[in-house]
Amino acid sequence: MSTTGDYTSVRAAIASLLKQPEYDDGSAGPVLVRLAWHSAGTYDASTDTGGSNGAGMRYEAEGGDPANAGLQHARVFLEPVKASHPWITYSDLWTLAGVEAVKQMGGPEIPWWPGRTDYVDDSKLPPRGRLPDGALGGDHLRHIFYRMGFNDQEIVALSGAHNLGRCHADRSGFDGAWVNNPTRFSNTYFKLMLEREWREKVLDNGVRQYVYYDEDAEEELMMLPTDLALTTDKAFRPWVELYAKDKERFFGDFSRVFSKLMELGIRRGEKGEVVNTDNVRGGYVS
Ligand code: CCH
């Protein structure tokens, strides 16, 4: 059993479960990053509700949101870590897992602080529909991410997480990976977005996405309509161009903005302690 507060031990346990030869591309990393993001991405700045505090996805109201389909795999991967570190809250574990997975997959170090609680007021769970819909465009991205308090540059930086993982037809309806090596964090997603000829494809399930056949890898890569909206929108595109050219800049910006995402709705006192323990209700407990 580990010592309370030993986050180094939690990180090591997360790192050691990433390799999953039977799962997807052989790594639990991408789905852990998505779990962290969806746990936090329900935040609404105007009502101060949602966010990673509370780990509401453990319950049907949030966990059963079709937008969260497939994330049970991520939660199951993390159960042994919770069992060997029972003192950590789920909300800290899920956010730390995303941060550690990015690092282990070759991405930047992301500042992370503990202290989230698992307190949930069932009657005040964030409503469904707060997470983005990949079938839509730039206006939708702004609607969703401005609500959380992000700007255009931050939207583009965050989207760079699609260097990782893949779409699953039985989860989102979309199908395929964005890049050839989807378990290695990089800026390839931005490069491909600009450099390849994407063509629209309607899948058998009626879902529309964009595809490009990569001759070298003999693999079809994909982009969501929301991904390509980053290249057609005048305000987003310069950031795509910058991140495609400058990997270090992308890594630095991604680190800062992912850290900000994990902190949405969490207020800290002078020593970094969390002072609002029931953010789900929008309350402020000191
Ligand atoms: Fe995403 N994402 N995401 N995404 N996402 C999907 C998969 C991943 C959108 C839609 C989808 C972010 C932003 C957006 C990841 C991280 C981030 C899928 C496929 C869809 C659809 C799900 C499936 O079928 O399994 C849309 C729309 C947006 C709008 O901006 C942000 C922000 C992040 C993190 C910073 C990761 C990682 C995956 C791969 C998951 C996996 O299981 O491999």
Side-chain angles (χ1 to χ4, degrees), residues 30-31 33-34 37 132-134 141 145 158 161-162 164-168 171-172 174 178 224 226 258:
V31 79
V33 174
R34 190 165 197 241
W37 133 240
D133 178 348
L141 288 179
F145 286 94
L158 277 174
H162 284 172
L164 299 173
R166 58 174 56 250
C167 295
H168 306 76
R171 300 183 190 175
S172 61
F174 296 102
W178 290 267
L224 300 168
T226 40
F258 195 80

Side-chain angles (χ1 to χ4, degrees), residues 36 92 128-129 169 240 243:
D92 274 346
R128 293 184 177 182
V240 174
Y243 295 146

Side-chain angles (χ1 to χ4, degrees), residues 170-181:
D170 60 342
R171 300 183 190 175
S172 61
F174 296 102
D175 195 24
W178 290 267
V179 304
N180 282 322
N181 188 353

Side-chain angles (χ1 to χ4, degrees), residues 101-286:
V102 167
K103 181 176 153 193
Q104 293 295 331
M105 291 187 284
E109 296 252 8
I110 299 168
W112 176 89
W113 301 274
R116 293 163 193 78
T117 74
D118 285 345
Y119 175 77
V120 169
D121 177 344
D122 267 357
S123 64
K124 300 284 168 65
L125 284 170
R128 293 184 177 182
R130 284 194 176 176
L131 293 163
D133 178 348
L136 300 176
D139 291 350
H140 172 69
L141 288 179
R142 289 199 173 88
H143 171 72
I144 296 285
F145 286 94
Y146 285 5
R147 187 205 69 223
M148 292 181 233
F150 291 112
N151 63 28
D152 288 352
Q153 178 190 359
E154 292 172 320
I155 293 172
V156 178
L158 277 174
S159 303
H162 284 172
N163 271 286
L164 299 173
R166 58 174 56 250
C167 295
H168 306 76
D170 60 342
R171 300 183 190 175
S172 61
F174 296 102
D175 195 24
W178 290 267
V179 304
N180 282 322
N181 188 353
T183 60
R184 191 83 198 147
F185 196 83
S186 75
N187 62 342
T188 306
Y189 161 82
F190 294 117
K191 290 186 185 165
L192 293 176
M193 192 181 267
L194 295 173
E195 291 166 9
R196 300 290 183 263
E197 291 282 328
W198 297 95
R199 67 175 175 85
E200 190 179 280
K201 178 176 177 182
V202 180
L203 307 181
D204 291 345
N205 59 12
V207 169
R208 269 182 341 109
Q209 63 183 40
Y210 292 87
V211 296
Y212 158 79
Y213 185 75
D214 186 307
E215 306 270 348
D216 297 336
E218 296 182 359
E219 194 186 355
E220 190 177 84
L221 300 175
M222 63 88 61
M223 290 277 163
L224 300 168
T226 40
D227 293 315
L228 290 191
L230 302 179
T231 66
T232 50
D233 181 284
K234 276 205 202 80
F236 289 140
R237 188 174 171 106
W239 298 111
V240 174
E241 289 173 350
L242 177 65
Y243 295 146
K245 259 199 315 259
D246 190 341
K247 183 177 144 188
E248 294 314 311
R249 179 69 194 270
F250 166 55
F251 274 36
D253 286 357
F254 183 83
S255 168
R256 186 182 54 75
V257 81
F258 195 80
S259 186
K260 174 175 166 179
L261 175 67
M262 296 300 108
E263 288 287 306
L264 292 178
I266 291 158
R267 307 226 196 316
R268 296 185 183 275
E270 272 173 21
K271 298 190 190 96
E273 78 281 14
V274 176
V275 292
N276 60 329
T277 53
D278 71 341
N279 155 268
V280 175
R281 228 177 2 202
Y284 192 91
V285 179
S286 53

